[in-house]
Amino acid sequence: MLGRGLKRKLSDYEESMAGLSSAFDSSRSLPYPLKRQLVLNMCLTKLQTYKMLVEPNLHRSVLIANTVRQIQEEMRQESNQQPVNICPGIVPSSHSYTGMESSGISLQLPSGISQEESNCCDLRSVEDPIENSLLIVSDDDMSSAISSILKDLDFVEDISPPTCLVPTGDDQPKFPENTGLKLEDDRQDLKGAECVFGSFEISNSTSYLKDLAIDDIFEDIDTSMYDSDFCCPPLMPPRSPSLATEEPLKTFPSCNSSSANNIQICRTDLSELDHIMEILVGS
Amino acid sequence: LAGAGGGNDIQWCFSQVKGAVDDDVAEADIISTVEFNHSGELLATGDKGGRVVIFQQEQENKTQSHSRGEYNVYSTFQSHEPEFDYLKSLEIEEKINKIRWLPQKNAAQFLLSTNDKTIKLWKISERDKRPEGYNLKEEDGRYRDPTTVTTLRVPVFRPMDLMVEASPRRIFANAHTYHINSISINSDYETYLSADDLRINLWHLEITDRSFNIVDIKPANMEELTEVITAAEFHPNSCSTFVYSSSKGTIRLCDMRASALCDRHSKLFEEPEDPSNRSFFSEIISSISDVKFSHSGRYMMTRDYLSVKIWDLNMENRPVETYQVHEYLRSKLCSLYENDCIFDKFECCWNGLDRQVGFCSIFHFSIVMTGSYNNFFRMFDRNTKRDITLEASRENNKPRTVLKPRKVCASGKRKKDEISVDSLDFNKKILHTAWHPKENIIAVATTNNLYIFQDKMN
């Protein structure tokens, strides 16, 4: 067994996964669809774990999502080619089997992954012990797993290139002329529009949206207005009347714990919040 | 490389090790970056606790001609503190991701250090004199009653014990939504770039309140995201050229003169996949973890999970050389995926001087180095095509004893002194290595220790 990357308490589940991945690596006789299923399950489990984190690692999430997509594509092609759809893996069973952990493994994917067989009509033989421990994952489940993790990674409070930030104080930034960098005008306009929504934030509510099924319910809510990259002409002038911004500034605490550099960001935050509140309240 | 070999071969010897001896590693002590300055006199490390420790090479002792100066602690300071972003309810880690030195212009030294979100320019200066003989202050700092002053004197500078001070000169903040993975100083020494997962920004060292976005690969819809930026570096000679690598194993070379936003690359370096090696993990292991230009700027080196590749900037469709770091792991990818080791980001580096003066001639030697597991690190000699595996460990390491080459037994019968793949310790990884710019001295970081090796001077 290979050493673990990090010290952590191994649950039964994790031990069984480690056992399976060793089997994957060492066994040449594992049928390909089973290997694929195993990898898929591992990917989805990881994605599910990442969703629970406050800040999932974007790099890893993308790599895992791509692996799921790749498997998904393969399975789709297979199901298109064959008139009768076959999927590997069947009803979970608690058989113990030789050569593996005999703790009565029934791999339960975290809630939200459907156990329905959407494509299946023909069942394989139940004799292969490894098959017994793998659950089927439908195409929809894979897609929703990918999209939900990537959606969560979209930091709506996205600081797009801060070219629209008001320079602090009298400091006129003296960018040396000889570098020859010029912002194109249309690019600047785009960023100006983005700045309206640039620092608005919807709280990342993964803490109570653990269930993929719940995500599906919210899918049809249009959050495009809160998307920082959505470029539409602002409903109100980007710089709200100064009265509206000054008042909240006095009562609102500093946005994060770093230095006073952020005061200018907070100011933009507040005018956006103000703006959104007005829309929501409908005044 | 070491042992029986020609005169060109380097024989590496243990020189020093820095850091705690005990096996229980404190999280904050985990080394996260290692970098020599331009002269090689200073060696900086950053750790997970946000600290920077700088070692200085002592001046060569004329009597001890058989070894180069040792590195001793020169300065230690807290570069970054943990922060809490209240809007997003996120902790911002203080871990130092990268340190880059500026070339020395005056008595002080400058370096850039960065965590996930904020880059800081630090000035490290020495103070070895202090003024004494104030008129209005006593020596201990208490103020004197002005009415008691009867004569005036001019304060003079007197020597004092050397004090090294680090002070933050610039703080470049709030330009990155995603985690910063690279910083690179331009050859103009006035600007630098910082790269996160989706964007690259260009800064002027004097200006902290704005940066220019030069690369943005964020899609309009995040669900369409399939690729992230993993590393970026400026060309060593051409101040308008930089490269960035991706999680799909591609490298893009961009020219800032072409347009303000370098979304279109000038060159795209990508090697077609070898169909015989295809697996579920092919894409993951193709993700590039580091990219480094050669000193001449003609080549660049990339590191992915299993190999090191050398690219000629004039050839985009495949690397000119590929070196296998630990091919025996290819059959263990599923287990390495399961325990997340497959996501480990190994760095790589070139040797310092491209040339060495030999007895009768000047010859070019070119060696690249990278880390592996079990505290092993690998070196590949591009001229002789020989490679060597060495181990950074406190055992079996006596000063001036040549390091013994190690060998991993991939399969079959394990010979004496070989280590089997299954006994490798995957918790002991060498991710960060650095090579002195002028001499054959290397710094190798294990989890919480810094090893310094030198070549044996006869």
Side-chain angles (χ1 to χ4, degrees):
Chain A
M1 190 81 69
L2 294 182
R4 302 286 180 275
L6 292 166
K7 276 187 193 163
R8 57 183 174 161
K9 200 172 163 199
L10 282 183
S11 64
D12 282 342
Y13 174 71
E14 285 169 341
E15 276 175 5
S16 64
M17 283 309 286
L20 284 171
S21 53
S22 281
F24 179 111
D25 283 332
S26 47
S27 161
R28 282 172 212 271
S29 61
L30 263 181
Y32 179 80
L34 276 172
K35 284 189 170 182
R36 182 172 63 193
Q37 191 64 45
L38 169 62
V39 174
L40 182 60
N41 289 357
M42 285 168 66
C43 290
L44 292 171
T45 311
K46 282 187 192 283
L47 286 179
Q48 193 66 10
T49 313
Y50 292 170
K51 265 180 68 67
M52 312 232 219
L53 296 174
V54 184
E55 198 180 11
N57 182 315
L58 181 60
H59 179 224
R60 287 191 194 187
S61 303
V62 168
L63 287 175
I64 297 170
N66 286 351
T67 309
V68 173
R69 281 189 188 114
Q70 176 196 318
I71 293 177
Q72 198 180 17
E73 191 50 43
E74 226 177 75
M75 285 169 120
R76 271 185 199 149
Q77 281 180 3
E78 274 178 14
S79 64
N80 288 342
Q81 284 165 8
Q82 292 166 2
V84 173
N85 294 329
I86 298 174
C87 14
I90 346 72
V91 181
S93 100
S94 51
H95 291 175
S96 59
Y97 30 80
T98 55
M100 306 277 290
E101 306 279 329
S102 55
S103 49
I105 299 157
S106 55
L107 279 181
Q108 285 173 16
L109 289 178
S111 64
I113 303 231
S114 156
Q115 298 185 8
E116 289 159 9
E117 310 156 25
S118 57
N119 291 336
C120 232
C121 15
D122 194 12
L123 297 180
R124 272 217 191 151
S125 148
V126 299
E127 273 153 31
D128 194 317
I130 292 172
E131 277 193 53
N132 287 349
S133 59
L134 298 175
L135 296 173
I136 316 152
V137 179
S138 74
D139 200 74
D140 287 339
D141 294 326
M142 288 191 263
S143 299
S144 57
I146 297 173
S147 57
S148 80
I149 185 87
L150 289 176
K151 261 196 258 182
D152 287 344
L153 285 164
D154 188 359
F155 290 115
V156 186
E157 193 220 316
D158 189 352
I159 306 164
S160 300
T163 54
C164 60
L165 287 180
V166 178
T168 47
D170 327 332
D171 270 4
Q172 282 311 313
K174 299 181 197 92
F175 200 88
E177 260 120 341
N178 56 7
T179 61
L181 269 178
K182 282 175 206 154
L183 281 179
E184 287 143 348
D185 286 344
D186 48 332
R187 185 82 201 160
Q188 223 159 11
D189 287 342
L190 196 75
K191 294 301 171 199
E194 284 181 22
C195 277
V196 178
F197 303 111
S199 37
F200 179 73
E201 188 249 347
I202 287 183
S203 65
N204 194 351
S205 48
T206 49
S207 53
Y208 54 86
L209 286 179
K210 286 180 193 173
D211 211 315
L212 279 176
I214 296 183
D215 277 349
D216 293 341
I217 295 171
F218 289 151
E219 247 171 39
D220 58 350
I221 292 182
D222 179 16
T223 55
S224 57
M225 196 157 47
Y226 310 127
D227 190 329
S228 64
D229 289 325
F230 185 70
C231 42
C232 68
L235 297 174
M236 279 173 56
R239 307 272 169 249
S240 306
S242 52
L243 278 174
T245 29
E246 290 312 320
E247 268 176 326
L249 186 62
K250 285 173 195 144
T251 51
F252 218 85
S254 170
C255 300
N256 63 39
S257 62
S258 48
S259 70
N261 278 347
N262 298 331
I263 299 254
Q264 63 192 14
I265 308 249
C266 286
R267 223 168 260 164
T268 346
D269 284 347
L270 297 170
S271 60
E272 312 334 320
L273 278 170
D274 219 36
H275 172 213
I276 299 296
M277 280 310 299
E278 285 182 40
I279 295 166
L280 289 172
V281 169
S283 62
Chain B
L1 279 176
N8 300 355
D9 284 355
I10 301 176
Q11 296 185 303
W12 292 104
C13 306
F14 172 81
S15 173
Q16 297 171 270
V17 59
K18 308 280 187 194
V21 183
D22 44 307
D23 281 336
D24 226 0
V25 179
E27 187 99 349
D29 292 340
I30 295 175
I31 298 173
S32 48
T33 184
V34 181
E35 189 82 356
F36 280 99
N37 76 335
H38 289 249
S39 67
E41 186 205 351
L42 299 177
L43 174 59
T45 61
D47 65 25
K48 211 163 175 215
R51 289 166 304 198
V52 171
V53 180
I54 302 176
F55 301 92
Q56 182 188 42
Q57 190 180 29
E58 56 183 36
Q59 295 310 304
E60 271 181 45
N61 197 326
K62 299 292 186 288
T63 58
Q64 281 192 312
S65 57
H66 55 258
S67 75
R68 297 180 183 85
E70 280 201 342
Y71 281 86
N72 300 313
V73 177
Y74 177 67
S75 172
T76 303
F77 57 93
Q78 187 76 32
S79 171
H80 287 71
E81 298 273 3
E83 281 177 39
F84 195 78
D85 181 341
Y86 292 102
L87 277 183
K88 283 196 255 173
S89 282
L90 287 177
E91 235 187 55
I92 300 172
E93 256 202 308
E94 65 275 30
K95 171 168 75 91
I96 309 295
N97 293 335
K98 284 285 177 333
I99 290 174
R100 290 287 182 262
W101 289 92
L102 266 80
Q104 192 172 11
K105 283 193 290 192
N106 51 39
Q109 301 276 358
F110 288 86
L111 61 78
L112 284 176
S113 72
T114 185
N115 68 349
D116 285 337
K117 299 285 186 179
T118 304
I119 306 132
K120 296 189 185 181
L121 176 70
W122 286 89
K123 175 179 177 183
I124 296 109
S125 47
E126 291 184 3
R127 194 197 291 254
D128 60 358
K129 295 186 270 287
R130 66 157 183 242
E132 282 178 22
Y134 284 98
N135 292 294
L136 292 176
K137 271 200 287 191
E138 303 285 2
E139 291 307 325
D140 60 7
R142 280 180 305 142
Y143 280 97
R144 290 168 73 183
D145 180 356
T147 56
T148 64
V149 177
T150 52
T151 59
L152 286 179
R153 55 189 173 163
V154 177
V156 292
F157 276 97
R158 296 214 187 282
M160 59 179 257
D161 287 339
L162 178 67
M163 201 164 74
V164 181
E165 300 168 323
S167 58
R169 282 319 223 209
R170 306 268 187 277
I171 297 181
F172 305 91
N174 302 315
H176 286 281
T177 304
Y178 301 96
H179 290 186
I180 297 174
N181 52 54
S182 312
I183 46 175
S184 175
I185 300 175
N186 204 346
S187 49
D188 64 9
Y189 301 137
E190 286 185 343
T191 56
Y192 74 95
L193 62 76
S194 58
D196 67 31
D197 292 314
L198 298 179
R199 299 194 177 102
I200 302 180
N201 293 331
L202 179 74
W203 302 83
H204 190 281
L205 284 163
E206 300 292 326
I207 297 167
T208 58
D209 65 350
R210 63 173 50 188
S211 66
F212 288 91
N213 177 243
I214 51 178
V215 173
D216 187 340
I217 63 168
K218 183 177 177 180
N221 181 356
M222 276 293 268
E223 292 172 21
E224 293 163 8
L225 181 65
T226 58
E227 194 172 9
V228 300
I229 297 170
T230 52
E233 192 175 65
F234 265 118
H235 191 276
N237 306 321
S238 165
C239 59
S240 56
T241 308
F242 65 94
V243 293
Y244 68 93
S245 60
S246 83
S247 54
K248 284 197 170 170
T250 63
I251 309 103
R252 287 172 176 80
L253 185 139
C254 300
D255 189 328
M256 296 195 290
R257 293 167 297 190
S259 72
L261 185 69
C262 301
D263 272 350
R264 274 201 236 122
H265 49 265
S266 303
K267 295 195 189 195
L268 173 68
F269 299 84
E270 187 173 14
E271 182 174 27
E273 200 187 345
D274 177 3
S276 64
N277 271 335
R278 178 125 190 88
S279 78
F280 296 110
F281 310 104
S282 293
E283 185 177 314
I284 297 178
I285 63 170
S286 74
S287 175
I288 292 174
S289 50
D290 196 13
V291 63
K292 293 266 171 50
F293 276 106
S294 67
H295 304 291
S296 63
R298 188 171 153 208
Y299 297 98
M300 64 180 174
M301 163 166 57
T302 58
R303 174 72 155 97
D304 51 70
Y305 190 61
L306 296 180
S307 66
V308 163
K309 294 181 182 173
I310 311 289
W311 303 79
D312 184 322
L313 290 199
N314 297 318
M315 189 158 74
E316 297 171 58
N317 58 359
R318 61 177 176 81
V320 289
E321 292 150 38
T322 301
Y323 300 101
Q324 301 302 334
V325 181
H326 35 219
E327 182 70 9
Y328 46 80
L329 295 183
R330 194 181 288 275
S331 57
K332 306 284 179 192
L333 290 179
C334 192
S335 305
L336 293 164
Y337 177 61
E338 192 272 318
N339 64 18
D340 283 346
C341 281
I342 209 174
F343 299 112
D344 286 335
K345 294 187 188 169
F346 293 95
E347 291 173 8
C348 54
C349 66
W350 296 85
N351 66 285
L353 268 185
D354 279 343
R355 288 169 289 149
Q356 256 197 350
V357 177
F359 206 23
C360 304
S361 63
I362 296 173
F363 56 88
H364 295 248
F365 78 90
S366 182
I367 304 176
V368 297
M369 168 167 68
T370 189
S372 178
Y373 294 104
N374 210 68
N375 281 348
F376 288 170
F377 58 101
R378 304 263 285 136
M379 293 202 200
F380 303 94
D381 187 320
R382 295 179 59 221
N383 293 320
T384 64
K385 300 300 179 205
R386 283 204 292 266
D387 62 84
I388 191 169
T389 305
L390 299 171
E391 182 178 2
S393 131
R394 284 177 189 265
E395 310 161 1
N396 315 319
N397 273 328
K398 290 177 207 145
R400 292 194 295 285
T401 312
V402 176
L403 291 180
K404 188 174 123 178
R406 316 296 273 158
K407 188 133 169 50
V408 176
C409 166
S411 59
K413 256 190 138 181
R414 186 177 73 87
K415 298 195 193 91
K416 182 179 175 250
D417 286 347
E418 282 187 358
I419 297 176
S420 77
V421 182
D422 293 319
S423 358
L424 292 174
D425 188 341
F426 288 85
N427 290 324
K428 293 187 178 172
K429 40 193 109 178
I430 290 180
L431 304 174
H432 312 287
T433 59
W435 200 305
H436 191 291
K438 298 191 164 75
E439 296 172 20
N440 286 334
I441 301 175
I442 54 176
V444 172
T446 59
T447 308
N448 65 334
N449 283 174
L450 182 71
Y451 286 79
I452 298 172
F453 301 102
Q454 301 184 2
D455 92 28
K456 188 177 175 122
M457 290 168 81
N458 293 311

